[in-house]
Amino acid sequence: MSNTIIKGQCLCGAVQYQYSAEIEKSILCYCQDCQQAQGSIAGWNSPIEKINFELSGIEYLQEYFHTANKARVFCKVCASPLYSYRLDLPEFIRLRLGTVTEGNIPAPTEEYFIEHKPEFIVISSS
Ligand SMILES: [Zn+2]
Ligand SMILES: [Zn+2]
């Protein structure tokens, strides 16, 4: 039943995961929290169902709560951001799509906090 469609890992490889469903949409968030947490222009995420998400290396995961309701989960060896989840929505995670190594990721269809979006970023909508 569970065909592996998506695979990924942190930078050092201590944490590996697979998601046995399709990623249906991707989101860019330019808020300052995402920019600082990712050390980049944006957070690039997809909300996915935890029930289809399998992870190895759970002992290497560290959670950080910048806000009370939201855990930001990263590898404590190499510090790669892997996903976040909200305490009030435990059945979903927001996968950090830069950690995906195999499988199809759709182009972003939603962008948030575009007032913090650098002008040099242009998303093509095909
Ligand atoms: Zn790692
Ligand atoms: Zn954000």
Side-chain angles (χ1 to χ4, degrees):
M1 169 189 143
S2 66
N3 273 357
T4 299
I5 297 179
I6 301 290
K7 284 189 181 180
Q9 65 170 66
C10 63
L11 181 61
C12 76
V15 181
Q16 312 248 347
Y17 64 80
Q18 56 183 46
Y19 182 60
S20 52
E22 271 188 71
I23 290 185
E24 289 170 7
K25 67 171 178 178
S26 76
I27 298 165
L28 287 166
C29 183
Y30 304 97
C31 81
Q32 197 167 43
D33 284 359
C34 285
Q35 289 178 335
Q36 290 179 332
Q38 314 303 314
S40 190
I41 289 163
W44 187 32
N45 301 306
S46 180
I48 64 171
E49 289 179 306
K50 202 170 183 187
I51 195 168
N52 292 318
F53 186 74
E54 285 176 78
L55 184 138
S56 65
I58 195 165
E59 66 271 31
Y60 297 106
L61 293 180
Q62 179 79 48
E63 297 188 349
Y64 169 66
F65 285 83
H66 188 64
T67 49
N69 190 37
K70 183 173 173 180
R72 295 170 178 272
V73 185
F74 61 96
C75 172
K76 62 185 172 189
V77 178
C78 69
S80 288
L82 289 155
Y83 61 90
S84 67
Y85 68 92
R86 283 169 47 173
L87 296 180
D88 61 339
L89 281 176
E91 63 270 35
F92 290 96
I93 65 172
R94 280 186 167 239
L95 187 62
R96 309 297 189 209
L97 295 176
T99 63
V100 171
T101 57
E102 269 181 54
N104 182 54
I105 307 172
T109 50
E110 293 173 39
E111 296 177 272
Y112 294 107
F113 295 93
I114 55 171
E115 63 271 29
H116 300 298
K117 178 182 178 179
E119 282 178 18
F120 58 81
I121 297 292
V122 178
I123 309 297
S124 67
S125 51
S126 54

